[in-house]
Amino acid sequence: MLDMDAISVPGGAAAGVLAATDPGTLSDAELIEFTRAAERQVAHANAVCLAAVRVLAARAATAGTALARRVQRPGAQDAGSGQQRAAQAEARCSALGERAGVLEVSQTLRISQYSAARRVHLAGLLGERLAPAATALRAGQVGLGHVWVLAEHAEQVDDERLLAALQAACLPRAGQQTPGNFGRSLTRALHALDPHGQAVRHRAARGRAGVRRGQEHEGMASLAITATDPEVEWGYTVLDTLARGRLHQLKTTTPTEQPHPARACGRNGNESTPSADEGLRPAGASQTADACGRNGIDPTPGVADKVRPTADAPHTADACGRNGVGPTPLPTLDQLRSQVFFDLLQRAVSDPSFPTQHGKRRIETQIVIDLETLLGLREHPATINGRSVPAPIARELAAHSGTLRRLVTDPVIGHLLDYGHRRDAPADLTEFLLARDGTCRIPHCNVRASACDLDHSIPHEHGGPSSAANEGALCRSHHPPKTHGLIDIIDSAADGSAVLITALGQRIPIPPRPVLPEPREPLPTDNDTSQHDPGTNPTAQNADEPPF
């Protein structure tokens, strides 16, 4: 029998009961209450974690600010009187200290700098402006999703009395709403409580316009654009109009004057029955009988290539014995909108005035694939800009690449040793570092190396050399704290490994970044039977032992 009273209030006692109870032994009614209690416990744990994050970030920020004061002095960039210049220098120290606080949380929780900054910001709001929401979260009355939604709306409110009224009006019924419906309730309440202020904020919100990218599953990614409602509507309409025009062009350019093959066995291919193969036959192609006795089409060079799958997709025969290759289907409107969007970007890249960074254009896509997989001898995962992709997709993309570049990696752990050019000239240091690090070298930071600065671990003015062992990529969020002594990077090596020292003294190892995601086993030779004969494989007898 489940003790309902013991799990009604989240906390240590409830956690013990929940952990000791097997959900499979409960009745339906008990299981429902057990699940609700577990969700309340999760909310409680989130409140406890955010409170700890707030304290951790504050301590690291205090330590970072103190470190920054040792090196920050009023400089030429500060204007005004001596007192004003001192205040400006202090503001810079505080800003650097806040970065140190975010970095401390990022390294402690092993999350990205962006996620850490959001979490620190939310923790600060719950500790001050959103104290009622913090109480409700700790009591399990609302979930973390509700709190995130409230925090977004709190950014629209400067008046603390208005914010208190908003929470008093909406929090009591938030537990019966989804986070989405709770957000709509907050918006309506704001419009009712402060109509003129919200109109002003709506106009000022244009400053939040931006573009963000995200990674999705199966090798896909996304771009999210934030702009005003009319701008987004206009942009979508332009893409949609161009996509519909392209679809209409694809439909109208399909030739129809040629006879088409019959769709069922025994029918003459010269009959005028509509066919999905229409438009795939080139002008002047001769007709031959297929295995079912029907008229077919001689393959004409260049035509089959347009509809034949890649080498990684086997050809299959249908019920009539024909090759299972049909006409290429027309793309969907969504696919065409995406194509149109990137076509427009390609026009911009083709402009000679397109800007560069680190001496080259920033539109290079780096496909890393080992030679054996490129030749089809292996099926090892490859990477595109540091993200894993399956071998067949990597081969397709590599086939369309303009150039291939030789990268020499360590045969055991896979980190980069040499970054070759097409003509095998000596590797350029900048390109080597960008390829070696891939992203900012601070752990859990995913800013691409091409968008980072190249930092000297031992500063150049202190005798630090410009070398692979002493340099690495640091993004614009982590480079200033390193420059001003809030964090430090020591024991930097040519393979990219180093040690990060945080403001609170944490020593975070920075491992080398393998260019190839996993060590590569050698190809078996003709005389090597260990791959096939368990009796000759010294590890076969332990094949069932972990790790699997």
Side-chain angles (χ1 to χ4, degrees), residues 154-450:
E155 298 297 329
Q156 306 174 32
V157 182
D158 294 328
D159 189 335
E160 296 304 318
R161 291 176 299 179
L162 176 61
L163 184 58
L166 180 67
Q167 294 181 80
C170 297
L171 273 177
R173 61 178 184 272
Q176 286 72 49
Q177 296 176 303
T178 65
N181 287 335
F182 178 54
R184 284 184 279 274
S185 295
L186 290 170
T187 298
R188 286 193 296 270
L190 276 176
H191 291 168
L193 293 170
D194 185 31
H196 298 291
Q198 291 306 301
V200 172
R201 286 194 164 274
H202 179 74
R203 299 185 187 101
R206 296 174 181 176
R208 295 203 302 269
V211 178
R212 289 172 297 279
R213 70 183 178 197
Q215 186 173 5
E216 299 189 8
H217 299 295
E218 298 172 338
M220 303 297 285
S222 61
L223 280 177
I225 300 176
T226 301
T228 63
D229 195 312
E231 288 173 327
V232 170
E233 186 66 25
W234 175 84
Y236 183 85
T237 301
V238 171
L239 290 176
D240 184 68
T241 302
L242 292 172
R244 290 180 183 275
R246 185 171 294 185
L247 180 61
H248 177 73
Q249 183 181 18
L250 289 173
K251 290 180 177 179
T252 57
T253 54
T254 301
T256 59
E257 67 276 5
Q258 291 295 326
H260 39 70
R263 303 306 297 164
C265 294
R267 293 177 56 188
N268 190 301
N270 293 323
E271 292 178 12
S272 58
T273 305
S275 167
D277 288 335
E278 203 167 34
L280 296 179
R281 178 183 304 156
S286 62
Q287 295 187 343
T288 59
D290 64 11
C292 293
R294 296 176 304 164
N295 286 335
I297 301 175
D298 283 332
T300 301
V303 175
D305 293 338
K306 297 179 181 179
V307 297
R308 181 174 298 140
T310 63
D312 298 294
H315 294 278
T316 58
D318 64 12
C320 295
R322 298 183 306 162
N323 188 302
V325 179
T328 303
L330 291 175
T332 65
L333 274 174
D334 266 344
Q335 292 170 334
L336 288 172
R337 292 185 194 106
S338 176
Q339 292 175 13
V340 167
F341 175 76
F342 285 103
D343 284 348
L344 295 174
L345 294 183
Q346 184 60 45
R347 295 181 188 177
V349 173
S350 301
D351 190 327
S353 64
F354 189 82
T356 63
Q357 186 169 0
H358 296 298
K360 62 180 181 180
R361 297 188 177 189
R362 293 181 54 191
I363 44 80
E364 181 179 84
T365 298
Q366 188 180 69
I367 305 169
V368 179
I369 180 172
D370 63 74
L371 181 61
E372 296 167 357
T373 300
L374 181 63
L375 296 176
L377 303 176
R378 293 290 194 188
E379 294 295 321
H380 293 142
T383 63
I384 297 180
N385 291 331
R387 295 180 172 91
S388 180
V389 293
I393 300 300
R395 280 194 290 268
E396 288 181 16
L397 296 173
H400 296 287
S401 299
T403 59
L404 295 177
R405 189 188 304 272
R406 174 182 58 83
L407 280 76
V408 180
T409 63
D410 186 288
V412 178
I413 59 178
H415 68 252
L416 186 65
L417 299 177
D418 183 40
Y419 183 82
H421 289 252
R422 283 168 291 175
R423 56 184 183 275
D424 291 334
D428 176 79
L429 177 60
T430 297
E431 291 193 351
F432 175 87
L433 294 171
L434 297 180
R436 182 197 69 186
D437 291 344
T439 64
C440 172
R441 70 192 308 197
I442 298 296
H444 318 304
C445 183
N446 296 319
V447 177
R448 291 185 181 182
S450 60

Side-chain angles (χ1 to χ4, degrees), residues 48-64 97-111 116 119-120 123-124 502-506 508:
V48 173
C49 182
L50 286 168
V53 164
R54 181 171 179 253
V55 175
L56 177 64
R59 287 187 183 177
T62 299
E98 290 178 2
R99 291 190 184 186
V102 170
L103 184 142
E104 200 77 39
V105 171
S106 170
Q107 298 304 311
T108 299
L109 299 182
R110 296 180 176 87
I111 58 179
R119 203 170 295 191
V120 169
T502 70
L504 291 184
Q506 289 194 72
I508 310 293

Side-chain angles (χ1 to χ4, degrees), residues 43-135:
H44 177 82
N46 280 322
V48 173
C49 182
L50 286 168
V53 164
R54 181 171 179 253
V55 175
L56 177 64
R59 287 187 183 177
T62 299
T65 302
L67 290 171
R69 289 193 185 111
R70 299 177 184 177
V71 296
Q72 285 287 309
R73 297 288 185 273
Q77 71 273 28
D78 301 314
S81 63
Q83 186 175 5
Q84 291 173 328
R85 295 174 63 192
Q88 293 171 19
E90 179 63 22
R92 286 199 306 277
C93 292
S94 297
L96 290 169
E98 290 178 2
R99 291 190 184 186
V102 170
L103 184 142
E104 200 77 39
V105 171
S106 170
Q107 298 304 311
T108 299
L109 299 182
R110 296 180 176 87
I111 58 179
S112 69
Q113 186 84 355
Y114 173 76
S115 297
R118 292 187 73 229
R119 203 170 295 191
V120 169
H121 180 65
L122 179 63
L125 287 175
L126 292 175
E128 298 174 357
R129 304 185 71 207
L130 301 183
T135 301

